Amino acid sequence: MNRLVLVIVLLLAVLPVYAQQDPLTLVTYDSFSVSEDVLAAFTDQTGIEVEIVRLADAGAMVNQVILTKNNPLGDVLYGIDNTFLSRGLNAGIFEPYESSALADVPEAFVLDPDFNVTPVAYGDVCLNYDAAYFGADGPPLPTSLVDLTEPEFEGTLVVENPAASSPGLAFLLATIAAFGEAPDTYNWQEYWADLAANDVLVVEGWTEAYYGEFSGASDGERPLVVSYASSPPAEVYFADPTPETAPTGVTLAEEACFRQIEFAGILTGTDQRAEAEAFIDFMLGLEFQEDLPLQMFVFPVSPDAELPDVFVEYAVIPENPASIAPDLIEEKREEWIQTWTEIVLR
């Protein structure tokens, strides 16, 4: 046996073999991004080609995958978050898989004890502020959600419609977690009535809010916006030239942040089960995890993943973000949005 044949035999002995005829199809939301060299590394390591199918935003993506459950659009879904998780689980669109790499992931991210989905990334929706407006000589920042209903913050806040926007829904959930809905207390319904009376501006989505109305990132006139805790590092990373300080910041007003956890799952009916498992494992590996921050401005779930310098310097991780159980969100989501619409928009 010559040396070349020996090398080939040894490689076949240690590398997994996948009988792939078609590319593995990853179904995800429209803003999904991964570095080309990272995806190529997965193919080099496994021989598995990956095709990415981007649908709409996370909510519309989940609905479309449910509607096509009997004729699945792909093999792996990435991007379902905890605000839509129960909808996907109840529809039975996933096949359980417990990756061995989950052993290194904090339990707080593992919301499905049956392992139908695997946590991959997370981010916090928080209030962002215009640093120039709230500068050294400017007014003080809000320190609580209630502050936003006070006269000094009249006309300062722009939010997204929770019926159409993921961060808009996350902020609504933060207020529900903070104030509850008991009729004999100051509940979330009364809070939003006060916000509306204080001239909160509602727009359809994040882009309209952040790049259309927020004074920290556009010609808009609102110095407070519902955005992500990772928005300030994005402002610095994409600026040319690089600013000395971030033009925006995150105010950790009490209970104003809501954590979104993003999951991946193997779609029911896939005929590439082994390849799908390999890709789930790869998404929990350091190569993919450390690619996440600068591709999608989210945080990796792996505590071993190193963050880029711009995240270390400018990103904020709230200590106690609000949360609501996925089952309760699924049960009450439409009712809450309908009630919010009647209070704020009518």
Side-chain angles (χ1 to χ4, degrees):
M1 182 180 298
N2 63 40
R3 181 173 299 176
L4 176 60
V5 173
L6 177 61
V7 169
I8 293 174
V9 170
L10 290 174
L11 285 173
L12 290 175
V14 298
L15 292 177
V17 177
Y18 299 95
Q20 187 187 32
Q21 295 183 347
D22 299 316
L24 182 79
T25 300
L26 173 67
V27 179
T28 184
Y29 48 60
D30 51 2
S31 58
F32 175 84
S33 181
V34 58
S35 296
E36 290 184 7
D37 59 337
V38 171
L39 201 58
F42 172 70
T43 301
D44 290 343
Q45 294 165 17
T46 63
I48 301 171
E49 299 284 346
V50 179
E51 178 183 75
I52 300 175
V53 175
R54 294 177 176 84
L55 302 179
D57 63 22
M61 172 191 72
V62 173
N63 289 339
Q64 190 168 347
V65 170
I66 291 173
L67 290 173
T68 56
K69 172 185 171 184
N70 295 327
N71 186 22
L73 299 173
D75 306 292
V76 174
L77 174 73
Y78 173 76
I80 186 171
D81 65 31
N82 45 320
T83 66
F84 287 98
L85 179 58
S86 287
R87 179 173 296 182
L89 295 180
N90 293 340
I93 60 175
F94 298 113
E95 296 182 0
Y97 172 58
E98 183 177 358
S99 171
S100 59
L102 274 174
D104 299 325
V105 175
E107 290 184 4
F109 296 122
V110 184
L111 300 187
D112 175 27
D114 297 322
F115 304 104
N116 290 283
V117 291
T118 301
V120 175
Y122 72 97
D124 294 292
V125 174
C126 298
L127 290 175
N128 280 213
Y129 64 88
D130 178 354
Y133 180 88
F134 292 100
D137 299 325
L141 286 164
T143 59
S144 72
L145 287 172
V146 172
D147 280 354
L148 299 173
T149 66
E150 300 296 331
E152 56 265 39
F153 292 103
E154 181 178 1
T156 60
L157 175 64
V158 55
V159 303
E160 301 85 359
N161 186 337
S165 162
S166 177
L169 175 59
F171 185 63
L172 171 61
L173 295 174
T175 64
I176 292 171
F179 299 106
E181 52 187 347
D184 56 346
T185 63
Y186 183 75
N187 53 36
W188 74 266
Q189 295 96 327
E190 292 181 66
Y191 175 72
W192 275 98
D194 288 343
L195 267 188
N198 214 30
D199 192 26
V200 64
L201 175 64
V202 179
V203 296
E204 197 66 5
W206 179 85
T207 300
E208 295 91 334
Y210 197 83
Y211 290 117
E213 303 293 343
F214 178 43
S215 60
S218 72
D219 293 330
E221 298 180 350
R222 303 275 172 150
L224 291 169
V225 65
V226 171
S227 189
Y228 299 92
S230 55
S231 294
E235 290 289 344
V236 174
Y237 183 71
F238 290 112
D240 185 18
T242 303
E244 293 184 0
T245 61
T248 65
V250 174
T251 171
L252 296 179
E254 186 179 359
E255 299 172 318
C257 296
F258 187 87
R259 176 153 295 172
Q260 292 177 312
I261 305 172
E262 295 187 344
F263 302 87
I266 298 173
L267 289 172
T268 300
T270 177
D271 58 3
Q272 300 200 67
R273 170 77 191 198
E275 290 85 353
E277 291 182 3
F279 194 69
I280 296 287
D281 293 344
F282 180 75
M283 295 179 94
L284 289 178
L286 283 184
E287 199 164 13
F288 188 91
Q289 288 281 295
E290 293 182 347
D291 191 49
L292 283 166
L294 293 182
Q295 288 297 314
M296 295 192 284
F297 285 86
V298 292
F299 290 85
V301 295
S302 171
D304 297 325
E306 291 189 12
L307 294 173
D309 290 343
V310 71
F311 262 64
V312 173
E313 187 166 358
Y314 296 109
V316 170
I317 301 178
E319 289 186 7
N320 298 299
S323 65
I324 296 178
D327 287 347
L328 183 59
I329 295 174
E330 180 61 22
E331 176 188 346
K332 305 276 285 189
R333 183 195 303 107
E334 298 309 318
E335 175 189 328
W336 285 336
I337 291 175
Q338 181 64 30
T339 301
W340 178 91
T341 301
E342 293 172 358
I343 293 171
V344 179
L345 300 183
R346 293 176 183 168

